[in-house]
Amino acid sequence: MIQIHQVTRKFGRARAVDDISLDTPAGASVALWGANGAGKTTLIRCVLGLLRFKGRITVGGHDVTRHGKTARMLIGYVPQE
């Protein structure tokens, strides 16, 4: 259901997310663990269509760049706080 292909997001010269690819089937749960500054929140914001990025992300077949609102309706997001 969520397909992430070669996603990169930079802030200036710093790469917050560097060439990430991931495919998750419908109904799957995904948890991201890592140190502070590893790019977890940045990747989630890209998946939700809230940040621009290089690469391609689809949620339920919807390109998040063009149909972010539709994609967000298909995702349950539970932040730490």
Side-chain angles (χ1 to χ4, degrees):
M1 173 166 178
I2 299 174
Q3 297 178 319
I4 302 170
H5 296 285
Q6 299 178 319
V7 169
T8 298
R9 169 64 186 185
K10 292 182 181 181
F11 293 101
R13 289 184 162 193
R15 288 184 184 213
V17 175
D18 189 14
D19 196 31
I20 299 293
S21 294
L22 172 71
D23 288 329
T24 60
S29 296
V30 176
L32 299 175
W33 273 280
N36 289 344
K40 301 175 301 290
T41 300
T42 299
L43 181 60
I44 293 295
R45 291 179 69 196
C46 290
V47 169
L48 296 173
L50 301 175
L51 285 179
R52 292 183 182 198
F53 56 88
K54 289 185 179 179
R56 184 161 192 242
I57 301 175
T58 60
V59 176
H62 302 282
D63 184 324
V64 300
T65 303
R66 292 184 225 153
H67 305 287
K69 187 174 182 178
T70 303
R72 285 190 294 277
M73 292 173 59
L74 299 173
I75 296 175
Y77 170 62
V78 180
Q80 180 178 348
E81 297 177 15

